[in-house]
Amino acid sequence: MPEPIPILGPFVDQFTVLLEEKIPVFSFHFGPAPIEAIREIHAIGSIVLATATTTNEAKTLVEAGVDVIIAQGFEAGGHRGTFAVSYEHGLIGTAALVPQIADAVSVPVVAAGGIMDARGIVAAFALGASGVQMGTAFLACPENNIPEVYRQAVLKCKDEDTVITEVFSGKPARAIRNRFIREMENNRDKVLPFPAQMSIGRFLYQTSAQQSSPDFASMWAGQGAALAEALPAGELIEKIIQEFLAVTASLQLK
Ligand SMILES: Cc1cc2nc3c(=O)[nH]c(=O)nc-3n(C[C@H](O)[C@H](O)[C@H](O)COP(=O)(O)O)c2cc1C
């Protein structure tokens, strides 16, 4: 039986390197960074982003000194960034969340969750966002080093195939449904707190993927996965830019 081991080094060690390298943008998930860390980031002239899943979380982040809010809708792939309420209370869709956060804070808002192409970007701007964060859209890009079985699952994914589950890491995250999720649904009491569950389960998830089986692999993805395209990232961005121009032009005609 493997023992839980830290997945990453201590925060302070990683943070020190990032400060030394003068990384221009720091993005935090699962709540605000310590106030002192935010001060140090600002002192080197960099900016701080952080994820909110409710309007109250967005206000808390701004009060802590965060410069840009990432409004994460429930469609998003990967871990929920909810930190102030139970994750069920933070399950607000992108279209409802972005305008409410944009009205509530005076800093720029980045929309995240279900944005897969130019249509989503145009919609996010109309809702009050100043930018978008796209994760799932890049999962099928060849530069991405996810296991092939995961990439194929993304490409086969339909809108109803993802679910928010704690079973892979101990924290709620949206993933493609598979046998592990189904079987663990009846064994929720055995799920360890984050990050112990991820540390213990990693070997199983990796081995499943290495054996080309999706059954026990952790395959985080958002509700828009069906729209993912297996294009090189640069080409995908170029395509999105061209489509953005076409979508905005078509809207202006009406
Ligand atoms: C596979 C995967 C891994 C992610 N890992 C992180 C992460 O390490 N840190 C983070 O802040 N957000 C992470 N996210 C969440 C994204 O930042 C963002 O909220 C989400 O991808 C936006 O929704 P979308 O997946 O529908 O594009 C991840 C998302 C995916 C799909």
Side-chain angles (χ1 to χ4, degrees):
M1 179 74 171
E3 290 291 318
I5 47 163
I7 288 171
L8 300 167
F11 172 79
V12 69
D13 291 357
Q14 299 175 61
F15 186 60
T16 305
V17 174
L18 298 176
L19 284 178
E20 281 167 9
E21 294 297 323
K22 296 206 169 7
I23 301 300
V25 178
F26 287 66
S27 186
F28 292 89
H29 216 57
F30 306 143
I35 299 276
E36 186 49 38
I38 294 178
R39 274 200 210 107
E40 288 182 81
I41 294 168
H42 286 157
I44 61 162
S46 298
I47 62 164
V48 182
L49 281 71
T51 297
T53 62
T54 66
T55 300
N56 271 334
E57 287 184 347
K59 288 183 192 163
T60 301
L61 292 172
V62 172
E63 279 162 22
V66 169
D67 304 297
V68 178
I69 299 297
I70 301 167
Q72 188 195 40
F74 85 126
E75 301 92 327
H79 284 96
R80 303 295 306 146
T82 307
F83 62 90
V85 285
S86 72
Y87 90 89
E88 292 95 338
H89 286 194
L91 294 180
I92 301 160
T94 304
L97 184 66
V98 171
Q100 293 187 70
I101 291 185
D103 285 350
V105 299
S106 52
V107 302
V109 176
V110 169
I115 299 167
M116 298 295 293
D117 55 28
R119 293 170 295 184
I121 298 173
V122 173
F125 286 166
L127 292 168
S130 303
V132 297
Q133 187 181 67
M134 298 160 70
T136 301
F138 293 95
L139 282 176
C141 296
E143 293 89 344
N144 199 328
N145 66 354
I146 60 172
E148 190 53 28
V149 70
Y150 181 176
R151 189 189 315 279
Q152 291 308 321
V154 169
L155 289 169
K156 277 190 266 174
C157 200
K158 298 190 294 298
D159 51 4
E160 63 199 66
D161 291 343
T162 68
V163 62
I164 294 177
T165 178
E166 298 175 20
V167 303
F168 287 115
S169 69
K171 261 192 195 287
R174 187 174 286 284
I176 299 174
R177 285 180 212 277
N178 64 1
R179 184 174 156 194
F180 186 67
I181 296 174
R182 277 195 304 278
E183 293 192 2
M184 288 301 288
E185 258 162 20
N186 301 324
N187 292 286
R188 279 169 187 262
D189 54 324
K190 300 204 173 65
V191 175
L192 299 173
F194 178 90
Q197 178 74 7
M198 186 141 76
S199 171
I200 288 282
R202 245 181 343 166
F203 180 70
L204 173 67
Y205 316 148
Q206 285 165 1
T207 304
S208 180
Q210 280 160 7
Q211 294 180 356
S212 302
S213 166
D215 284 354
F216 301 98
S218 59
M219 301 182 292
W220 288 315
Q223 288 186 317
L227 296 167
E229 292 188 75
L231 287 175
E235 277 180 42
L236 181 58
I237 288 178
E238 190 53 43
K239 184 167 182 264
I240 290 171
I241 292 170
Q242 294 308 322
E243 286 173 356
F244 179 86
L245 299 174
V247 174
T248 46
S250 75
L251 290 174
Q252 278 157 13
L253 289 175
K254 290 176 186 158

